[in-house]
Amino acid sequence: MEPLFEAVAVHKHFGENEVLKGIDVAVKRGDVLAIIGPSGSGKSTLCRVMVGLEAFDRGELRLHGKTLANVSEKGRVKWSEDSKKLRLDIGMVFQHFALFPNMTVFENLALAPRKVRGKSQAEAKKLATDVLSRVHLSEKRDAYPSKLSGGQQQRVAIARELAMERAILFLDEPTSALDPELVREVLVVMKELASAGMTMVVVTHEMSFAKQVASWVVFMADGEIIEQGPPDQLFGHPTQQRTKDFLATPEDLV
Amino acid sequence: MRPEEEQKPEPTLGSETDLDALARATMVGQPLALIKRRRADRGAQYDAPNMIRGFLIVGAIVIVVVGAVFIGRALGPSAPTYRWTWSVVPQYLPFLAQGLGLTLFLSVVTIVCGMILGILVAAAKLSSYPPLQVFITGYIEVMRGTPLLVQLVWAYYCLPIVTGLQLPPVASVLVALILNMGAFYGEAFRAGLQSIPRQEVESANVLGLSYWQQMRYILVPQTFRIILPVLISMSISLFKDTSLVAIVGLADLMYNGLSASVSTYRPLEILTVVAIFYFAVAFPATLILRRLELHLMKKQ
């Protein structure tokens, strides 16, 4: 099956520092790809490059088998002609939720569907009701984000992407900014999305989530993919020493 | 199973403190608890109702003025001979009110147009196009670095000579006022825009919202809320600074006050009334605008 989304040989540097040294990632429809690795390994940068928030120096992004962006001879990112429309299929959930605090939950959900997708007020309403129930927050429809817990805010952020009917969703450390007791509710929602067939790329530190939910795990360090494979294999029988070191849990130390 | 709904506790303002416990334990403490509760409802800086605040402020002003007069009399080298003749004032009230009309017109037009210009100035200053940035920075610095009075005179006398453009007096004065306030509002908007977390803009980009949609729905409303206190005090200042247009002979409140002073030989009485006119507009305006501010704060 042809990949839904592909990053091909993506390179990026900040000044002297090469943060992505030729990364290849392919995501098939329905895949849940977990990207793990130590901090500073470039996994968040990769995520930002793939959604188009960050420029890259070499390589190509592909969506639905079509070129989305590549790099011109001058070293500038060149977006394809239909990229504006194509990119609407790519969603992103941020570490710090990035909800719009001047709007209610409903307004957050309805803004882009209405203004970008051109939905009517009635359609947007139906969409919002639908996606809110998918993240179990139907009763928070008219609340302002500041009245919600971190976990609830992150679920609204996920719902906002669902309302845009994305083909693929990138989540950049979606639970890293949350208090420990709020992590679970977000992971539960993500797990439900995965079983509903949502294609996701998750940069995460939640190893148990990666183990249970991911269909493919990528381990990155120093801007390179060190090892990748299905979770059973990567967590159960890592072949690379760096992977073994990274996966050595604190419990193993004592 | 769906996870438990977790409600984060309200920010510390409303939480139980030793002070609350003390307040509840003693009868004397009850009013204290009431004030605290109210403070928690409204946000920390606003602890007394507006009306009481208003009376307190007016009272303080009266005490200062009366006190100054008495101290002056006590310490003065000779007994004062000035005799206040308030009877000259009433016949000039319509004339002064007419001037106030122009003052209000200039203020409102300048505030509205200046804010629109300010948003554009901020957008230009934050653009990624260097020539525009340099141009806007130059404009802001010139406006901030020269006195409004000079700018008014320049727009009124020099502009027609240099450019050959003959504007009606009110228009040329408005040009100076709006350009001046546009720079100041612009800097306030820029500061406000920059205080909005970057991720919000990034998520708006990923959502596919255009630059102007982001401005219209996300950035400007939030910025407006953040910098509202600054905008209010700038606008009140501007209202008073319009009195500078008297220098080019526009019949605003100040100018009419000056001419009434000249024709009555009673500047003290007339100008005191002029001051009261300004105050009578500026002070209630601050009270009303503070209410608006509180209302907006509560909404989020």
Side-chain angles (χ1 to χ4, degrees), chain A residues 48 102 115 144 147 152, chain B residues 5 7 202 217 222 299:
Chain A
R48 293 170 57 81
N102 56 320
K115 301 297 167 189
Y144 280 92
K147 295 284 182 282
Q152 291 171 335
Chain B
E5 293 298 324
Q7 190 76 47
E202 291 182 340
Y217 297 107
Q222 283 193 67
K299 240 183 88 182

Side-chain angles (χ1 to χ4, degrees), chain A residues 25-84:
Chain A
V25 173
V27 190
K28 292 199 292 291
R29 193 174 297 280
D31 265 356
V32 177
L33 189 112
I35 304 176
I36 60 172
S39 48
S41 58
K43 53 194 196 308
S44 275
T45 308
L46 175 64
C47 188
R48 293 170 57 81
V49 164
M50 291 193 290
V51 297
L53 285 175
E54 201 91 58
F56 51 103
D57 308 324
R58 260 185 295 157
E60 187 183 348
L61 302 178
R62 301 174 64 81
L63 183 70
H64 302 310
K66 286 188 252 180
T67 298
L68 184 64
N70 51 23
V71 179
S72 72
E73 279 142 42
K74 282 183 181 166
R76 280 223 165 148
V77 175
K78 211 171 77 213
W79 291 93
S80 69
E81 254 166 52
D82 49 355
S83 68
K84 207 169 171 212

Side-chain angles (χ1 to χ4, degrees), chain B residues 87-108:
Chain B
S87 57
V88 300
V89 172
Q91 53 179 317
Y92 282 98
L93 284 180
F95 183 57
L96 294 180
Q98 213 179 4
L100 181 64
L102 180 65
T103 295
L104 286 174
F105 172 77
L106 292 176
S107 304
V108 170

Side-chain angles (χ1 to χ4, degrees), chain A:
Chain A
M1 195 165 80
E2 191 181 58
L4 170 67
F5 179 89
E6 265 181 296
V8 185
V10 170
H11 289 255
K12 177 172 181 65
H13 64 84
F14 288 120
E16 295 283 280
N17 190 10
E18 194 168 16
V19 287
L20 297 177
K21 302 171 185 167
I23 303 280
D24 292 287
V25 173
V27 190
K28 292 199 292 291
R29 193 174 297 280
D31 265 356
V32 177
L33 189 112
I35 304 176
I36 60 172
S39 48
S41 58
K43 53 194 196 308
S44 275
T45 308
L46 175 64
C47 188
R48 293 170 57 81
V49 164
M50 291 193 290
V51 297
L53 285 175
E54 201 91 58
F56 51 103
D57 308 324
R58 260 185 295 157
E60 187 183 348
L61 302 178
R62 301 174 64 81
L63 183 70
H64 302 310
K66 286 188 252 180
T67 298
L68 184 64
N70 51 23
V71 179
S72 72
E73 279 142 42
K74 282 183 181 166
R76 280 223 165 148
V77 175
K78 211 171 77 213
W79 291 93
S80 69
E81 254 166 52
D82 49 355
S83 68
K84 207 169 171 212
K85 199 164 157 288
L86 280 175
R87 281 171 73 181
L88 291 183
D89 277 350
I90 301 179
M92 171 145 176
V93 171
F94 293 80
Q95 188 177 353
H96 294 282
F97 334 131
L99 297 177
F100 308 129
N102 56 320
M103 299 180 200
T104 63
V105 167
F106 171 71
E107 289 164 344
N108 266 281
L109 298 176
L111 180 68
R114 290 212 63 198
K115 301 297 167 189
V116 179
R117 294 269 200 216
K119 305 249 187 228
S120 70
Q121 177 76 19
E123 286 172 316
K125 212 169 220 169
K126 197 179 162 297
L127 206 54
T129 315
D130 179 43
V131 295
L132 268 184
S133 76
R134 287 178 72 183
V135 299
H136 314 302
L137 282 173
S138 299
E139 73 285 2
K140 298 292 182 190
R141 187 179 171 279
D142 298 311
Y144 280 92
S146 61
K147 295 284 182 282
L148 303 180
S149 72
Q152 291 171 335
Q153 289 189 47
Q154 192 59 296
R155 282 145 66 195
V156 173
I158 292 171
R160 187 169 63 178
E161 296 303 322
L162 295 179
M164 284 298 278
E165 298 164 317
R166 310 289 202 182
I168 181 170
L169 195 52
F170 289 82
L171 300 98
D172 185 10
E173 305 200 19
T175 57
S176 298
L178 298 176
D179 293 337
E181 76 273 17
L182 304 178
V183 168
R184 213 185 96 85
E185 62 187 61
V186 174
L187 292 181
V188 166
V189 164
M190 286 162 59
K191 193 172 173 181
E192 289 169 358
L193 289 181
S195 19
M198 183 82 206
T199 312
M200 293 192 281
V201 175
V202 189
V203 174
T204 187
H205 291 291
E206 295 292 334
M207 293 305 149
S208 58
F209 174 82
K211 250 182 241 180
Q212 285 177 34
V213 182
S215 52
W216 194 258
V217 182
V218 170
F219 172 66
M220 272 182 81
D222 292 330
E224 288 173 296
I225 293 178
I226 304 294
E227 188 170 353
Q228 55 182 313
D232 298 348
Q233 185 200 315
L234 194 118
F235 288 107
H237 314 284
T239 56
Q240 302 294 316
Q241 189 54 42
R242 298 198 61 170
T243 320
K244 287 176 192 166
D245 291 346
F246 178 73
L247 292 174
T249 52
E251 296 94 83
D252 297 338
L253 295 174
V254 281

Side-chain angles (χ1 to χ4, degrees), chain B residues 28-231:
Chain B
V28 195
Q30 273 186 1
L32 184 66
L34 210 73
I35 290 174
K36 258 217 105 201
R37 182 78 16 84
R38 184 166 275 150
R39 187 195 301 224
D41 289 346
R42 286 162 168 253
Q45 316 75 312
Y46 306 103
D47 43 8
N50 281 334
M51 285 306 287
I52 296 178
R53 252 178 105 90
F55 284 122
L56 285 176
I57 293 170
V58 172
I61 292 164
V62 170
I63 289 169
V64 168
V65 170
V66 173
V69 169
F70 273 97
I71 291 170
R73 288 194 175 202
L75 301 180
S78 59
T81 53
Y82 192 78
R83 288 185 44 201
W84 295 84
T85 315
W86 294 103
S87 57
V88 300
V89 172
Q91 53 179 317
Y92 282 98
L93 284 180
F95 183 57
L96 294 180
Q98 213 179 4
L100 181 64
L102 180 65
T103 295
L104 286 174
F105 172 77
L106 292 176
S107 304
V108 170
V109 173
T110 305
I111 288 167
V112 172
C113 298
M115 279 192 194
I116 293 167
L117 178 63
I119 292 171
L120 298 176
V121 165
K125 181 137 188 198
L126 294 176
S127 82
S128 45
Y129 184 56
L132 189 60
Q133 275 180 16
V134 171
F135 174 76
I136 286 294
T137 307
Y139 154 72
I140 291 172
E141 294 312 327
V142 167
M143 286 297 154
R144 286 205 297 195
T146 56
L148 177 57
L149 185 55
V150 174
Q151 292 163 15
L152 284 169
V153 172
W154 214 91
Y156 192 81
Y157 293 114
C158 307
L159 204 61
I161 297 170
V162 176
T163 64
L165 191 69
Q166 289 287 348
L167 288 175
V170 173
S172 66
V173 156
L174 275 175
V175 166
L177 287 171
I178 290 168
L179 285 178
N180 179 277
M181 287 312 284
F184 283 95
Y185 286 140
E187 280 296 271
F189 275 113
R190 182 191 56 76
L193 282 172
Q194 283 180 324
S195 73
I196 293 172
R198 241 188 94 74
Q199 278 199 348
E200 278 182 42
V201 178
E202 291 182 340
S203 75
N205 278 325
V206 174
L207 286 170
L209 294 163
S210 72
Y211 177 78
W212 289 110
Q213 285 173 332
Q214 293 178 24
M215 277 284 174
R216 159 84 180 77
Y217 297 107
I218 299 158
L219 299 176
V220 171
Q222 283 193 67
T223 302
F224 203 71
R225 205 165 295 190
I226 293 166
I227 64 170
L228 191 62
V230 180
L231 293 182

